[in-house]
């Protein structure tokens, strides 16, 4: 019998990915570059994993969403092992090609953190969309726009968490976690890259739906039409009239 991802139950698929991720975490937990930073980097990962595990029975996600989340966390674990500013991707690239990626691209700093922020938007925008659409039951244009906005807002929130942690812990640990590498615009660039990644993810999702859904154009048009009259004072008047 041939193996197919579609035949694997959602919870079992999540457990398989969780097991693979746990092996990676265990391997990369051995002698990380900075143990304190490794612990700090993995606090949110632990919380996220617990949420996914606790909600898997009553609110399972698609296998696509679980796979995208797994890929992001797997990449994050590499950053947490080395600290984001010290990931030796340039050395890995040199060993494979004999050339320096930083020199080819004209980079003056370690850009692994930029890559992960871009990956945050690219890989997590679709899971965010799935949760949002299934709970809010939105359709059409808003099913792409608001997940993009949520991904952007989440990126902003993480930058605030980074800033707060850096202020709280201070010293080398705070700077290692913040990972600005002397760039005063680091947070802005990170949020921009996350936004670009999320935009790409939503455009790809829109294209797929356009190609496979017969009612795509109709649903998009309907989602942009007003559903009722003005709110504000008009809505207050309507609600007061209902109370009489």
């Amino acid at each position: 019998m041939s193996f197919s991802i579609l035949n694997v139950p959602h919870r079992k698929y999540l457990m398989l990915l969780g097991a693979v991720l746990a092996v990676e975490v265990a391997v990369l937990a051995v002698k990380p570059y900075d143990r304190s930073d490794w612990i700090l980097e993995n606090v949110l990962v632990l919380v996220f994993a617990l949420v996914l595990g606790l909600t898997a029975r009553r609110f399972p996600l698609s296998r696509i969403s679980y796979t995208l989340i797994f890929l992001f966390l797997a990449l994050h674990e590499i950053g947490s092992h080395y600290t984001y500013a010290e990931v030796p991707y340039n050395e890995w690239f040199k060993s494979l090609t004999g050339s320096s990626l930083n020199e080819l691209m004209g980079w003056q700093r370690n850009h692994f953190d930029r890559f992960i922020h871009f990956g945050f938007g690219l890989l997590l925008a679709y899971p965010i969309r799935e949760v949002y659409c299934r709970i809010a039951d939105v359709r059409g244009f808003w099913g792409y726009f608001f997940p993009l906005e949520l991904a952007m807002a989440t990126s902003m929130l993480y930058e605030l968490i980074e800033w707060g942690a850096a202020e709280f812990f201070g010293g080398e640990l705070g700077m290692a976690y913040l990972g600005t590498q002397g760039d005063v615009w680091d947070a802005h660039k990170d949020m921009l890259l996350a936004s670009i990644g999320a935009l790409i993810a939503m455009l790809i999702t829109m294209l797929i739906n356009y190609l496979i859904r017969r009612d795509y154009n109709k649903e998009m048009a309907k989602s942009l039409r007003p559903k009722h009259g003005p709110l504000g004072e008009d809505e207050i008047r309507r609600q007061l009239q209902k109370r009489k």
Side-chain angles (χ1 to χ4, degrees), residues 41-57:
E41 294 281 4
N42 280 286
V43 170
L44 290 179
V45 173
L46 178 60
V47 173
F48 195 26
L50 287 174
V51 171
L52 287 176
L54 293 174
T55 58
R57 181 183 296 275

Side-chain angles (χ1 to χ4, degrees), residues 23-225:
V23 171
E24 182 194 10
V25 172
V27 171
L28 295 180
V30 178
K31 295 182 179 180
Y33 187 86
D34 186 322
R35 175 65 66 184
S36 297
D37 180 69
W38 180 86
I39 294 173
L40 195 57
E41 294 281 4
N42 280 286
V43 170
L44 290 179
V45 173
L46 178 60
V47 173
F48 195 26
L50 287 174
V51 171
L52 287 176
L54 293 174
T55 58
R57 181 183 296 275
R58 299 189 63 181
F59 196 86
L61 299 178
S62 66
R63 299 171 190 84
I64 291 176
S65 285
Y66 282 143
T67 302
L68 293 172
I69 292 170
F70 165 78
L71 290 174
F72 174 75
L73 294 180
L75 291 170
H76 169 76
E77 286 306 313
I78 297 173
S80 67
H81 174 79
Y82 291 99
T83 75
Y84 275 92
E86 303 293 337
V87 175
Y89 68 85
N90 200 47
E91 287 73 12
W92 297 338
F93 190 82
K94 278 185 180 180
S95 67
L96 291 174
T97 66
S99 302
S100 168
L101 179 62
N102 280 4
E103 289 181 3
L104 289 173
M105 302 299 294
W107 293 340
Q108 302 298 319
R109 73 191 294 280
N110 189 303
H111 277 278
F112 189 79
D113 64 326
R114 300 271 195 259
F115 172 70
I116 294 299
H117 280 280
F118 175 76
F120 174 87
L122 184 67
L123 297 174
L124 297 189
Y126 183 82
I128 290 173
R129 179 181 189 272
E130 180 174 346
V131 173
Y132 179 74
C133 289
R134 289 171 61 187
I135 292 178
D137 195 28
V138 294
R139 300 181 183 278
F141 173 79
W142 308 110
Y144 306 98
F145 178 76
F146 282 120
L148 170 61
E149 291 285 288
L150 285 171
M152 295 170 66
T154 306
S155 175
M156 178 273 294
L157 178 61
Y158 183 74
E159 292 297 332
L160 291 178
I161 292 173
E162 277 192 337
W163 168 59
E167 285 286 342
F168 180 79
F169 291 103
E172 293 183 2
L173 175 57
M175 291 308 299
Y177 186 66
L178 197 59
T180 61
Q181 300 182 61
D183 187 351
V184 295
W185 303 110
D186 180 71
H188 304 75
K189 294 174 182 177
D190 289 346
M191 288 186 288
L192 174 62
L193 285 169
S195 300
I196 293 173
L199 177 61
I200 292 173
M202 289 299 96
L203 290 175
I204 292 173
T205 305
M206 287 180 68
L207 177 61
I208 293 173
N209 283 329
Y210 173 77
L211 294 174
I212 66 175
R213 295 193 57 171
R214 297 180 60 182
D215 63 342
Y216 177 85
N217 290 332
K218 182 179 179 180
E219 185 177 273
M220 287 290 286
K222 183 178 179 181
S223 69
L224 294 171
R225 294 194 202 104

